[in-house]
Structure formats: structure tokens, C-alpha cells
Amino acid sequence: MSFTMMRGATSTGVVAVMVMVMMLVVFNQVESAIVNASSSSNKKSCDIYRGSWIYDTSYPLYDSKSCPFIQKQFNCKPNGRPDSDYLKYRWQPTGCNIPRFNGSDFLERIMRGKRLMFVGDSLSLNQWQSLTCLLHNAVPKAFYTMTRSPSGLSTFSFPAYNATIMFSRNAFLVDLVGAPPKRLMKLDSISSGSLWKTADVLVFNSWHWWLHANRKQPWDAVTSGNVTVRDMDRLLAYKKAIRTWAKWIDQNIDPSKTKVFFQGVSPDHANSSDWSKQGGKGSCIGETKPVMGLKYRAGPHRAEVVVEKVIKTMKNPARLMDVTLMSQLRKDGHPSVYGFGGHRVPDCSHWCLAGVPDSWNQLFYYELLHS
């Protein structure tokens, strides 16, 4: 550090000025260190998946009328849903604030020249459609293409950004082969992974189809290793499948080139005793408000616990988007009887759009910005 003596200044005055400047520099350095330490501490202590839902009149993030490709089963307003408060809730983490979703920034900074793929069941479809709506809303005049292949791959692209957002329907992640009455669920086999290798960002999901039984059961037998059985405990089967998936990711995906996420387990709200002390046999029908507070009466989701444990065993752990609790609190966010317009059996598994999956994507945006 150098100083130039001004004309007419005394040596005593120069010394005093130098001392003051040096004290100011030291003070600024200390203050900066404190701020940086505090910021670092906040980042470490803040879990963006723990918080509560706040009513916000600036929501939703888009009007479903402006999104031309929402599937009818998720488009609750046109299907006759009369209330609208479910559109007005914003997820607020307890220990920090998260940025509002910025679609143009997502395309420019994160997706330019990249391929993003959602792999899973119709809950992945829910999130994929939410993201396409959010991005279309951000750049409504940008040219886009939408294609669907017979193999179950849906592709949404913005050529101007060379950005591709895909959805690959794969409810179990592991192989389901054959035709009735010889459909075989192979818990230790994955043959569709070559498609996954084409993506720069992967987001996986699986759970809901593991619960289907009787006529809706999609397999006739289950095999694991050299053992074949007609059926087995569904949570155990799920655990074996997720272990197979985790092993495949570790052996086939280079984490320096491809980011891997697991969406977490989206809950259903088929039983009101899960959130109400009164219990009963009610479902999500007629629910118009979230569960207020930070906790859910039913506690942790059993499938989410499995996913958490398996991911911790990975050599290169996938990033868990732990949306379970925040979604458990949204008993009001489902299509209910406004899925296809008048279902006898309410849909308490999927989510209305606009709605809860938009907040999943807001957290996904945050994750990608900080990864």
C-alpha cells in the first residue's frame, strides 16, 4: 500500500491519515469475514425442503390457460374446480429465502446446450409438464417443438437455446418384460439405461405403481437373483429395485459430466386420518387449504425412508429432492374429482397445474444454481 503526501500537509497529519486508513481497511476486512461466515453458516443450516406454505397473492407462477400442453387430468380449473386458493401458496423454507423461479435464466444459464430428462411414472410427468409450462410462460414467443414417441419418450425443445427437456415413462426403473400371463418384474435388471446416458441432467422417480394390486398389478411374477416368486412385500421389492438403480448409476454415470437427482416420493392424500386427529375415511375431496405448520401427522413416508438410505450407500450419491414433507402438507393440491371432470374415484395422487409441482421445480432451479 502506498500513499502520496499532499502539498502543504505536515508529517504528523500524514501519519494520522495513514493510521485512519489502515484502521478502516482492517475494519472492512473483519466485517467482510463476518458476513461471509454468516452467509456460509446460513447455507449450511438451511434445509430448503423444511418449511411451510405461505399464502402469496402474486402466485401462481403462470396461468394454466397460457400453457397449451397441460394434460386434461392435471388441468383442474377448466375441469370445473370452483376454488382457487390452492393456486396462491408459496413454499417458504424455515431458515432461508429461495429465489422466485426465473424461466429465462433457467434456459440461459442452466439449459443452454443441455439435455434434461425426467425418468419415472406419472408424477414425473406432473413435474415435467410443470417445468415446460414455467419455461413457455417465461419466453412465450420463443419457438418450441413437442414430440412423443411410441416408446414413451416425450421431448420438449427450445431450438434457440439448444435446450431439450424430456420425459421417459418408466414406472419401476428396473425391467418389466413379457406379456400376460407371463409378465416378469426383474428387480436386479436395467436395460433402458442407454437412453439415460444421453442426458446432462437426470431426475428419477418411482413408487406409486409398486402399490398396484389385484387386476391393476402390472406383473405376474417377480424375480431377484435366481429366485422367482408370484409376489412379495412391495416395500421390499421397491428397496431391491432402488438398490439396482443406485448400483447402475454408480457404474454407468460420470458425476463430472451428468448431474443425477431423485425426485423423492410424492405422497397421496387418500386417508384423512393422515393429517386429521378426527380420523375417518375421508380423502382429498373438498380440501381447499394446506396443512398449516411444519409437521405432518402421519410422519415420514416409508418409501422416502428407503430412498434416503439407499442413496447414502452410493459411491457417487444422487441428490435427493426431498419433496415428500412439503407435498404431504398440500392435501388441497390434488385434482380430486376435477381430474377428467367427474371421476367417481377421486385422484388424490397427482397434482393440479398450476400447483405444487411448480414449487418442486422452483427448488430444482435452486439446486441446479448451487450444484
Side-chain angles (χ1 to χ4, degrees), residues 277-310:
K277 291 182 179 180
Q278 284 72 36
K281 298 181 180 180
S283 66
C284 67
I285 293 179
E287 294 293 338
T288 60
K289 305 290 182 185
V291 176
M292 293 303 171
L294 306 176
K295 297 182 179 180
Y296 191 64
R297 175 176 161 80
H301 195 289
R302 56 181 185 153
E304 181 80 348
V305 173
V306 166
V307 173
E308 288 178 351
K309 289 182 178 179
V310 171

PDB file of all heavy atoms in Angstrom, residues 277-310:
ATOM      1  N   LYS A 277     -56.702 -35.272  13.261  1.00  0.00           N
ATOM      2  CA  LYS A 277     -56.869 -36.018  14.507  1.00  0.00           C
ATOM      3  C   LYS A 277     -58.222 -36.703  14.578  1.00  0.00           C
ATOM      4  O   LYS A 277     -58.397 -37.699  15.268  1.00  0.00           O
ATOM      5  CB  LYS A 277     -56.717 -35.081  15.706  1.00  0.00           C
ATOM      6  CG  LYS A 277     -55.308 -34.550  15.908  1.00  0.00           C
ATOM      7  CD  LYS A 277     -55.241 -33.671  17.151  1.00  0.00           C
ATOM      8  CE  LYS A 277     -53.823 -33.161  17.368  1.00  0.00           C
ATOM      9  NZ  LYS A 277     -53.726 -32.291  18.569  1.00  0.00           N
ATOM     10  N   GLN A 278     -59.203 -36.163  13.856  1.00  0.00           N
ATOM     11  CA  GLN A 278     -60.536 -36.732  13.872  1.00  0.00           C
ATOM     12  C   GLN A 278     -60.596 -38.074  13.151  1.00  0.00           C
ATOM     13  O   GLN A 278     -61.507 -38.854  13.343  1.00  0.00           O
ATOM     14  CB  GLN A 278     -61.543 -35.762  13.220  1.00  0.00           C
ATOM     15  CG  GLN A 278     -61.930 -34.579  14.088  1.00  0.00           C
ATOM     16  CD  GLN A 278     -60.799 -33.582  14.224  1.00  0.00           C
ATOM     17  OE1 GLN A 278     -60.046 -33.363  13.278  1.00  0.00           O
ATOM     18  NE2 GLN A 278     -60.681 -32.964  15.393  1.00  0.00           N
ATOM     19  N   GLY A 279     -59.591 -38.321  12.295  1.00  0.00           N
ATOM     20  CA  GLY A 279     -59.556 -39.586  11.573  1.00  0.00           C
ATOM     21  C   GLY A 279     -60.664 -39.666  10.552  1.00  0.00           C
ATOM     22  O   GLY A 279     -60.994 -38.693   9.879  1.00  0.00           O
ATOM     23  N   GLY A 280     -61.257 -40.854  10.421  1.00  0.00           N
ATOM     24  CA  GLY A 280     -62.337 -41.024   9.458  1.00  0.00           C
ATOM     25  C   GLY A 280     -61.830 -41.620   8.166  1.00  0.00           C
ATOM     26  O   GLY A 280     -60.666 -41.968   8.019  1.00  0.00           O
ATOM     27  N   LYS A 281     -62.720 -41.754   7.202  1.00  0.00           N
ATOM     28  CA  LYS A 281     -62.392 -42.369   5.916  1.00  0.00           C
ATOM     29  C   LYS A 281     -62.353 -41.347   4.789  1.00  0.00           C
ATOM     30  O   LYS A 281     -62.439 -41.684   3.617  1.00  0.00           O
ATOM     31  CB  LYS A 281     -63.386 -43.481   5.601  1.00  0.00           C
ATOM     32  CG  LYS A 281     -63.379 -44.628   6.614  1.00  0.00           C
ATOM     33  CD  LYS A 281     -64.377 -45.701   6.230  1.00  0.00           C
ATOM     34  CE  LYS A 281     -64.361 -46.844   7.240  1.00  0.00           C
ATOM     35  NZ  LYS A 281     -65.331 -47.906   6.879  1.00  0.00           N
ATOM     36  N   GLY A 282     -62.250 -40.088   5.139  1.00  0.00           N
ATOM     37  CA  GLY A 282     -62.239 -39.048   4.127  1.00  0.00           C
ATOM     38  C   GLY A 282     -60.975 -39.072   3.298  1.00  0.00           C
ATOM     39  O   GLY A 282     -59.966 -39.684   3.662  1.00  0.00           O
ATOM     40  N   SER A 283     -61.010 -38.393   2.165  1.00  0.00           N
ATOM     41  CA  SER A 283     -59.853 -38.296   1.281  1.00  0.00           C
ATOM     42  C   SER A 283     -59.600 -36.824   0.985  1.00  0.00           C
ATOM     43  O   SER A 283     -59.980 -35.944   1.767  1.00  0.00           O
ATOM     44  CB  SER A 283     -60.111 -39.077  -0.007  1.00  0.00           C
ATOM     45  OG  SER A 283     -61.165 -38.476  -0.746  1.00  0.00           O
ATOM     46  N   CYS A 284     -59.004 -36.546  -0.164  1.00  0.00           N
ATOM     47  CA  CYS A 284     -58.698 -35.162  -0.522  1.00  0.00           C
ATOM     48  C   CYS A 284     -59.921 -34.413  -1.063  1.00  0.00           C
ATOM     49  O   CYS A 284     -59.835 -33.212  -1.334  1.00  0.00           O
ATOM     50  CB  CYS A 284     -57.571 -35.125  -1.550  1.00  0.00           C
ATOM     51  SG  CYS A 284     -58.020 -35.805  -3.174  1.00  0.00           S
ATOM     52  N   ILE A 285     -61.035 -35.090  -1.219  1.00  0.00           N
ATOM     53  CA  ILE A 285     -62.240 -34.439  -1.750  1.00  0.00           C
ATOM     54  C   ILE A 285     -62.639 -33.257  -0.868  1.00  0.00           C
ATOM     55  O   ILE A 285     -62.757 -33.386   0.354  1.00  0.00           O
ATOM     56  CB  ILE A 285     -63.421 -35.433  -1.836  1.00  0.00           C
ATOM     57  CG1 ILE A 285     -63.137 -36.510  -2.880  1.00  0.00           C
ATOM     58  CG2 ILE A 285     -64.711 -34.719  -2.199  1.00  0.00           C
ATOM     59  CD1 ILE A 285     -64.238 -37.542  -3.005  1.00  0.00           C
ATOM     60  N   GLY A 286     -62.821 -32.112  -1.479  1.00  0.00           N
ATOM     61  CA  GLY A 286     -63.280 -30.929  -0.758  1.00  0.00           C
ATOM     62  C   GLY A 286     -62.204 -30.185   0.007  1.00  0.00           C
ATOM     63  O   GLY A 286     -62.495 -29.154   0.617  1.00  0.00           O
ATOM     64  N   GLU A 287     -60.966 -30.663  -0.025  1.00  0.00           N
ATOM     65  CA  GLU A 287     -59.892 -29.976   0.698  1.00  0.00           C
ATOM     66  C   GLU A 287     -59.456 -28.741  -0.087  1.00  0.00           C
ATOM     67  O   GLU A 287     -59.145 -28.827  -1.282  1.00  0.00           O
ATOM     68  CB  GLU A 287     -58.694 -30.904   0.904  1.00  0.00           C
ATOM     69  CG  GLU A 287     -58.971 -32.084   1.829  1.00  0.00           C
ATOM     70  CD  GLU A 287     -59.218 -31.657   3.271  1.00  0.00           C
ATOM     71  OE1 GLU A 287     -58.783 -30.548   3.644  1.00  0.00           O
ATOM     72  OE2 GLU A 287     -59.826 -32.440   4.023  1.00  0.00           O
ATOM     73  N   THR A 288     -59.431 -27.595   0.579  1.00  0.00           N
ATOM     74  CA  THR A 288     -59.101 -26.331  -0.100  1.00  0.00           C
ATOM     75  C   THR A 288     -57.950 -25.578   0.558  1.00  0.00           C
ATOM     76  O   THR A 288     -57.540 -24.536   0.044  1.00  0.00           O
ATOM     77  CB  THR A 288     -60.334 -25.411  -0.136  1.00  0.00           C
ATOM     78  OG1 THR A 288     -60.753 -25.132   1.207  1.00  0.00           O
ATOM     79  CG2 THR A 288     -61.482 -26.057  -0.900  1.00  0.00           C
ATOM     80  N   LYS A 289     -57.414 -26.089   1.676  1.00  0.00           N
ATOM     81  CA  LYS A 289     -56.316 -25.425   2.382  1.00  0.00           C
ATOM     82  C   LYS A 289     -55.212 -26.432   2.688  1.00  0.00           C
ATOM     83  O   LYS A 289     -55.479 -27.609   2.913  1.00  0.00           O
ATOM     84  CB  LYS A 289     -56.807 -24.813   3.701  1.00  0.00           C
ATOM     85  CG  LYS A 289     -57.988 -23.862   3.576  1.00  0.00           C
ATOM     86  CD  LYS A 289     -57.598 -22.564   2.902  1.00  0.00           C
ATOM     87  CE  LYS A 289     -58.793 -21.603   2.836  1.00  0.00           C
ATOM     88  NZ  LYS A 289     -58.462 -20.371   2.084  1.00  0.00           N
ATOM     89  N   PRO A 290     -53.965 -25.977   2.744  1.00  0.00           N
ATOM     90  CA  PRO A 290     -52.870 -26.871   3.152  1.00  0.00           C
ATOM     91  C   PRO A 290     -52.965 -27.213   4.631  1.00  0.00           C
ATOM     92  O   PRO A 290     -53.727 -26.600   5.385  1.00  0.00           O
ATOM     93  CB  PRO A 290     -51.609 -26.034   2.879  1.00  0.00           C
ATOM     94  CG  PRO A 290     -52.048 -24.896   2.028  1.00  0.00           C
ATOM     95  CD  PRO A 290     -53.485 -24.636   2.368  1.00  0.00           C
ATOM     96  N   VAL A 291     -52.181 -28.195   5.035  1.00  0.00           N
ATOM     97  CA  VAL A 291     -51.951 -28.428   6.457  1.00  0.00           C
ATOM     98  C   VAL A 291     -51.020 -27.329   6.922  1.00  0.00           C
ATOM     99  O   VAL A 291     -49.935 -27.155   6.378  1.00  0.00           O
ATOM    100  CB  VAL A 291     -51.306 -29.808   6.702  1.00  0.00           C
ATOM    101  CG1 VAL A 291     -50.983 -29.986   8.177  1.00  0.00           C
ATOM    102  CG2 VAL A 291     -52.211 -30.920   6.211  1.00  0.00           C
ATOM    103  N   MET A 292     -51.435 -26.551   7.895  1.00  0.00           N
ATOM    104  CA  MET A 292     -50.606 -25.444   8.370  1.00  0.00           C
ATOM    105  C   MET A 292     -49.595 -25.940   9.411  1.00  0.00           C
ATOM    106  O   MET A 292     -49.893 -26.823  10.208  1.00  0.00           O
ATOM    107  CB  MET A 292     -51.475 -24.341   8.958  1.00  0.00           C
ATOM    108  CG  MET A 292     -52.336 -23.657   7.899  1.00  0.00           C
ATOM    109  SD  MET A 292     -51.310 -22.982   6.565  1.00  0.00           S
ATOM    110  CE  MET A 292     -52.549 -22.510   5.355  1.00  0.00           C
ATOM    111  N   GLY A 293     -48.417 -25.365   9.390  1.00  0.00           N
ATOM    112  CA  GLY A 293     -47.387 -25.758  10.330  1.00  0.00           C
ATOM    113  C   GLY A 293     -46.227 -26.436   9.634  1.00  0.00           C
ATOM    114  O   GLY A 293     -46.126 -26.437   8.404  1.00  0.00           O
ATOM    115  N   LEU A 294     -45.348 -27.038  10.428  1.00  0.00           N
ATOM    116  CA  LEU A 294     -44.100 -27.601   9.925  1.00  0.00           C
ATOM    117  C   LEU A 294     -44.089 -29.121   9.909  1.00  0.00           C
ATOM    118  O   LEU A 294     -43.134 -29.719   9.420  1.00  0.00           O
ATOM    119  CB  LEU A 294     -42.934 -27.107  10.789  1.00  0.00           C
ATOM    120  CG  LEU A 294     -42.803 -25.590  10.973  1.00  0.00           C
ATOM    121  CD1 LEU A 294     -41.660 -25.283  11.937  1.00  0.00           C
ATOM    122  CD2 LEU A 294     -42.585 -24.895   9.638  1.00  0.00           C
ATOM    123  N   LYS A 295     -45.146 -29.756  10.446  1.00  0.00           N
ATOM    124  CA  LYS A 295     -45.133 -31.208  10.589  1.00  0.00           C
ATOM    125  C   LYS A 295     -46.395 -31.830   9.995  1.00  0.00           C
ATOM    126  O   LYS A 295     -47.425 -31.179   9.873  1.00  0.00           O
ATOM    127  CB  LYS A 295     -44.996 -31.606  12.065  1.00  0.00           C
ATOM    128  CG  LYS A 295     -43.682 -31.166  12.710  1.00  0.00           C
ATOM    129  CD  LYS A 295     -43.608 -31.635  14.151  1.00  0.00           C
ATOM    130  CE  LYS A 295     -42.281 -31.214  14.799  1.00  0.00           C
ATOM    131  NZ  LYS A 295     -42.192 -31.661  16.208  1.00  0.00           N
ATOM    132  N   TYR A 296     -46.276 -33.123   9.656  1.00  0.00           N
ATOM    133  CA  TYR A 296     -47.389 -33.884   9.108  1.00  0.00           C
ATOM    134  C   TYR A 296     -47.713 -35.011  10.072  1.00  0.00           C
ATOM    135  O   TYR A 296     -46.811 -35.740  10.519  1.00  0.00           O
ATOM    136  CB  TYR A 296     -47.003 -34.436   7.735  1.00  0.00           C
ATOM    137  CG  TYR A 296     -48.154 -35.020   6.960  1.00  0.00           C
ATOM    138  CD1 TYR A 296     -49.218 -34.231   6.550  1.00  0.00           C
ATOM    139  CD2 TYR A 296     -48.169 -36.368   6.610  1.00  0.00           C
ATOM    140  CE1 TYR A 296     -50.274 -34.759   5.818  1.00  0.00           C
ATOM    141  CE2 TYR A 296     -49.202 -36.908   5.866  1.00  0.00           C
ATOM    142  CZ  TYR A 296     -50.255 -36.097   5.481  1.00  0.00           C
ATOM    143  OH  TYR A 296     -51.297 -36.637   4.746  1.00  0.00           O
ATOM    144  N   ARG A 297     -48.964 -35.161  10.390  1.00  0.00           N
ATOM    145  CA  ARG A 297     -49.404 -36.099  11.427  1.00  0.00           C
ATOM    146  C   ARG A 297     -48.935 -37.537  11.162  1.00  0.00           C
ATOM    147  O   ARG A 297     -48.514 -38.238  12.090  1.00  0.00           O
ATOM    148  CB  ARG A 297     -50.928 -36.057  11.526  1.00  0.00           C
ATOM    149  CG  ARG A 297     -51.537 -37.057  12.476  1.00  0.00           C
ATOM    150  CD  ARG A 297     -53.054 -36.861  12.570  1.00  0.00           C
ATOM    151  NE  ARG A 297     -53.725 -38.039  13.090  1.00  0.00           N
ATOM    152  CZ  ARG A 297     -53.788 -38.367  14.384  1.00  0.00           C
ATOM    153  NH1 ARG A 297     -53.204 -37.602  15.271  1.00  0.00           N
ATOM    154  NH2 ARG A 297     -54.424 -39.436  14.775  1.00  0.00           N
ATOM    155  N   ALA A 298     -48.965 -37.983   9.919  1.00  0.00           N
ATOM    156  CA  ALA A 298     -48.614 -39.374   9.605  1.00  0.00           C
ATOM    157  C   ALA A 298     -47.117 -39.648   9.693  1.00  0.00           C
ATOM    158  O   ALA A 298     -46.694 -40.809   9.699  1.00  0.00           O
ATOM    159  CB  ALA A 298     -49.129 -39.741   8.213  1.00  0.00           C
ATOM    160  N   GLY A 299     -46.303 -38.592   9.745  1.00  0.00           N
ATOM    161  CA  GLY A 299     -44.864 -38.773   9.874  1.00  0.00           C
ATOM    162  C   GLY A 299     -44.179 -39.098   8.556  1.00  0.00           C
ATOM    163  O   GLY A 299     -44.778 -38.978   7.479  1.00  0.00           O
ATOM    164  N   PRO A 300     -42.912 -39.517   8.608  1.00  0.00           N
ATOM    165  CA  PRO A 300     -42.134 -39.773   7.393  1.00  0.00           C
ATOM    166  C   PRO A 300     -42.772 -40.837   6.506  1.00  0.00           C
ATOM    167  O   PRO A 300     -43.385 -41.794   7.002  1.00  0.00           O
ATOM    168  CB  PRO A 300     -40.777 -40.248   7.931  1.00  0.00           C
ATOM    169  CG  PRO A 300     -40.707 -39.684   9.310  1.00  0.00           C
ATOM    170  CD  PRO A 300     -42.114 -39.704   9.833  1.00  0.00           C
ATOM    171  N   HIS A 301     -42.631 -40.679   5.207  1.00  0.00           N
ATOM    172  CA  HIS A 301     -43.161 -41.638   4.248  1.00  0.00           C
ATOM    173  C   HIS A 301     -42.220 -42.838   4.178  1.00  0.00           C
ATOM    174  O   HIS A 301     -41.003 -42.684   4.029  1.00  0.00           O
ATOM    175  CB  HIS A 301     -43.273 -40.967   2.881  1.00  0.00           C
ATOM    176  CG  HIS A 301     -44.108 -41.719   1.907  1.00  0.00           C
ATOM    177  ND1 HIS A 301     -43.703 -42.904   1.339  1.00  0.00           N
ATOM    178  CD2 HIS A 301     -45.347 -41.452   1.385  1.00  0.00           C
ATOM    179  CE1 HIS A 301     -44.637 -43.337   0.512  1.00  0.00           C
ATOM    180  NE2 HIS A 301     -45.644 -42.475   0.518  1.00  0.00           N
ATOM    181  N   ARG A 302     -42.747 -44.035   4.268  1.00  0.00           N
ATOM    182  CA  ARG A 302     -41.903 -45.235   4.343  1.00  0.00           C
ATOM    183  C   ARG A 302     -41.043 -45.428   3.091  1.00  0.00           C
ATOM    184  O   ARG A 302     -39.899 -45.875   3.183  1.00  0.00           O
ATOM    185  CB  ARG A 302     -42.762 -46.478   4.588  1.00  0.00           C
ATOM    186  CG  ARG A 302     -43.859 -46.698   3.555  1.00  0.00           C
ATOM    187  CD  ARG A 302     -44.689 -47.918   3.865  1.00  0.00           C
ATOM    188  NE  ARG A 302     -45.662 -48.196   2.820  1.00  0.00           N
ATOM    189  CZ  ARG A 302     -46.142 -49.406   2.550  1.00  0.00           C
ATOM    190  NH1 ARG A 302     -45.722 -50.450   3.248  1.00  0.00           N
ATOM    191  NH2 ARG A 302     -47.033 -49.578   1.590  1.00  0.00           N
ATOM    192  N   ALA A 303     -41.577 -45.101   1.920  1.00  0.00           N
ATOM    193  CA  ALA A 303     -40.785 -45.261   0.698  1.00  0.00           C
ATOM    194  C   ALA A 303     -39.675 -44.219   0.625  1.00  0.00           C
ATOM    195  O   ALA A 303     -38.576 -44.503   0.126  1.00  0.00           O
ATOM    196  CB  ALA A 303     -41.688 -45.162  -0.532  1.00  0.00           C
ATOM    197  N   GLU A 304     -39.944 -43.024   1.124  1.00  0.00           N
ATOM    198  CA  GLU A 304     -38.916 -41.982   1.134  1.00  0.00           C
ATOM    199  C   GLU A 304     -37.751 -42.383   2.033  1.00  0.00           C
ATOM    200  O   GLU A 304     -36.585 -42.114   1.725  1.00  0.00           O
ATOM    201  CB  GLU A 304     -39.521 -40.663   1.617  1.00  0.00           C
ATOM    202  CG  GLU A 304     -38.561 -39.491   1.638  1.00  0.00           C
ATOM    203  CD  GLU A 304     -38.362 -38.854   0.279  1.00  0.00           C
ATOM    204  OE1 GLU A 304     -38.796 -39.453  -0.729  1.00  0.00           O
ATOM    205  OE2 GLU A 304     -37.777 -37.771   0.214  1.00  0.00           O
ATOM    206  N   VAL A 305     -38.053 -43.044   3.133  1.00  0.00           N
ATOM    207  CA  VAL A 305     -37.009 -43.521   4.045  1.00  0.00           C
ATOM    208  C   VAL A 305     -36.100 -44.517   3.324  1.00  0.00           C
ATOM    209  O   VAL A 305     -34.870 -44.489   3.469  1.00  0.00           O
ATOM    210  CB  VAL A 305     -37.632 -44.162   5.300  1.00  0.00           C
ATOM    211  CG1 VAL A 305     -36.557 -44.817   6.165  1.00  0.00           C
ATOM    212  CG2 VAL A 305     -38.398 -43.116   6.117  1.00  0.00           C
ATOM    213  N   VAL A 306     -36.703 -45.397   2.513  1.00  0.00           N
ATOM    214  CA  VAL A 306     -35.928 -46.362   1.730  1.00  0.00           C
ATOM    215  C   VAL A 306     -34.988 -45.640   0.773  1.00  0.00           C
ATOM    216  O   VAL A 306     -33.793 -45.950   0.685  1.00  0.00           O
ATOM    217  CB  VAL A 306     -36.866 -47.301   0.943  1.00  0.00           C
ATOM    218  CG1 VAL A 306     -36.081 -48.079  -0.126  1.00  0.00           C
ATOM    219  CG2 VAL A 306     -37.569 -48.260   1.882  1.00  0.00           C
ATOM    220  N   VAL A 307     -35.520 -44.665   0.040  1.00  0.00           N
ATOM    221  CA  VAL A 307     -34.711 -43.920  -0.921  1.00  0.00           C
ATOM    222  C   VAL A 307     -33.538 -43.232  -0.226  1.00  0.00           C
ATOM    223  O   VAL A 307     -32.395 -43.282  -0.707  1.00  0.00           O
ATOM    224  CB  VAL A 307     -35.570 -42.883  -1.667  1.00  0.00           C
ATOM    225  CG1 VAL A 307     -34.704 -41.987  -2.543  1.00  0.00           C
ATOM    226  CG2 VAL A 307     -36.621 -43.582  -2.531  1.00  0.00           C
ATOM    227  N   GLU A 308     -33.801 -42.576   0.888  1.00  0.00           N
ATOM    228  CA  GLU A 308     -32.750 -41.876   1.631  1.00  0.00           C
ATOM    229  C   GLU A 308     -31.617 -42.836   2.008  1.00  0.00           C
ATOM    230  O   GLU A 308     -30.437 -42.514   1.843  1.00  0.00           O
ATOM    231  CB  GLU A 308     -33.332 -41.238   2.889  1.00  0.00           C
ATOM    232  CG  GLU A 308     -34.220 -40.034   2.635  1.00  0.00           C
ATOM    233  CD  GLU A 308     -34.808 -39.483   3.919  1.00  0.00           C
ATOM    234  OE1 GLU A 308     -34.656 -40.145   4.974  1.00  0.00           O
ATOM    235  OE2 GLU A 308     -35.420 -38.407   3.880  1.00  0.00           O
ATOM    236  N   LYS A 309     -31.982 -44.005   2.524  1.00  0.00           N
ATOM    237  CA  LYS A 309     -30.977 -44.966   2.978  1.00  0.00           C
ATOM    238  C   LYS A 309     -30.159 -45.510   1.817  1.00  0.00           C
ATOM    239  O   LYS A 309     -28.926 -45.650   1.923  1.00  0.00           O
ATOM    240  CB  LYS A 309     -31.653 -46.109   3.750  1.00  0.00           C
ATOM    241  CG  LYS A 309     -32.201 -45.690   5.114  1.00  0.00           C
ATOM    242  CD  LYS A 309     -32.820 -46.875   5.842  1.00  0.00           C
ATOM    243  CE  LYS A 309     -33.320 -46.467   7.227  1.00  0.00           C
ATOM    244  NZ  LYS A 309     -33.941 -47.617   7.945  1.00  0.00           N
ATOM    245  N   VAL A 310     -30.815 -45.818   0.702  1.00  0.00           N
ATOM    246  CA  VAL A 310     -30.095 -46.375  -0.442  1.00  0.00           C
ATOM    247  C   VAL A 310     -29.145 -45.342  -1.038  1.00  0.00           C
ATOM    248  O   VAL A 310     -27.991 -45.653  -1.368  1.00  0.00           O
ATOM    249  CB  VAL A 310     -31.083 -46.888  -1.511  1.00  0.00           C
ATOM    250  CG1 VAL A 310     -30.334 -47.264  -2.786  1.00  0.00           C
ATOM    251  CG2 VAL A 310     -31.864 -48.081  -0.987  1.00  0.00           C
TER     252      VAL A 310
END
